[in-house]
Amino acid sequence: NGNGYDDAWIEEATKVRGLSNLRTTPDALPKLLEKKNADMLLAQGVFTERELHSRYETQLENYVRTVRIEALTMADMAKKLILPAVAGYTARLANGLAAKKALAEAACGYETDVLTRLSGLEDEIYAAATALSKAVDTLDGLEGVTEGSAFVRDELIPKMDTLRTGCDEAETLTAAECWPFPTYGELLFGV
């Protein structure tokens, strides 16, 4: 009962109960090859030594391949859909701002604030998408599934999180009719 994701539970599980808290696939899968676990699986006839190592490598390869595809898709969506949508909306805002200022000394706080923030987000999203694409290129040059899975965990996923943060904020500032995807609300509550 309770929140299994709460920090208090993690502390109880790891410090009081002595359980492992293996948060990622590259952290968890090597446990399969630890002597006590391997001995048990071999003694019970679940796997042969060769099958055990094959299972380990296959699962890590699947992890790396899946996250690689997600990263490429994410960078592609940001560059081809999100950035053009944000750029189009900021252009629309800039034109409206210029028209208002040309007609009269009108207050343009909304347009100025949103335009400024979205322009900054455009640069952040572009930089994050570019960094993510470069990280995938680096991943492709790595030898070995263990090294690749550690790179995914330590480099690729944090870059994906950075890109997501910028895109999520841009979504909240971009007009709904300009945003290329359904909003979270539409996905959750739309029929």
Side-chain angles (χ1 to χ4, degrees):
N1 293 331
N3 182 352
Y5 298 100
D6 185 60
D7 288 339
W9 162 246
I10 304 280
E11 187 170 332
E12 180 185 334
T14 57
K15 293 181 180 165
V16 176
R17 298 184 186 195
L19 301 172
S20 297
N21 182 24
L22 306 171
R23 301 176 66 92
T24 68
T25 299
D27 295 332
L29 281 177
K31 298 296 182 187
L32 186 65
L33 301 179
E34 285 184 355
K35 182 169 177 28
K36 69 177 184 172
N37 298 326
D39 287 349
M40 182 271 303
L41 293 167
L42 296 171
Q44 296 298 319
V46 175
F47 294 117
T48 66
E49 184 82 28
R50 188 172 177 190
E51 289 170 336
L52 187 60
H53 286 277
S54 177
R55 174 68 54 111
Y56 166 78
E57 287 188 19
T58 301
Q59 289 181 345
L60 276 184
E61 285 172 358
N62 187 48
Y63 168 77
V64 170
R65 186 178 339 106
T66 300
V67 177
R68 180 184 179 279
I69 290 167
E70 291 171 353
L72 288 171
T73 302
M74 187 178 198
D76 196 51
M77 290 170 68
K79 290 177 183 177
K80 292 182 179 176
L81 297 168
I82 293 172
L83 284 171
V86 172
Y89 183 60
T90 56
R92 191 169 104 185
L93 280 174
N95 289 336
L97 179 63
K100 273 185 169 181
K101 286 188 175 186
L103 289 175
E105 220 22 70
C108 302
Y110 166 75
E111 291 90 345
T112 302
D113 289 349
V114 173
L115 185 58
T116 300
R117 184 61 193 135
L118 277 175
S119 294
L121 283 170
E122 276 183 85
D123 290 343
E124 290 174 28
I125 292 167
Y126 180 71
T130 301
L132 182 57
S133 295
K134 288 180 181 177
V136 171
D137 290 343
T138 300
L139 173 65
D140 291 344
L142 297 178
E143 298 278 332
V145 69
T146 303
E147 182 182 6
S149 67
F151 183 84
V152 165
R153 176 194 61 212
D154 300 336
E155 299 292 329
L156 207 60
I157 290 177
K159 284 179 176 33
M160 292 170 75
D161 289 342
T162 299
L163 178 54
R164 164 109 190 239
T165 299
C167 292
D168 284 351
E169 186 178 347
E171 178 183 2
T172 67
L173 297 171
T174 303
E177 69 269 9
C178 297
W179 195 250
F181 307 108
T183 64
Y184 288 122
E186 290 169 340
L187 290 172
L188 290 173
F189 306 113
V191 179

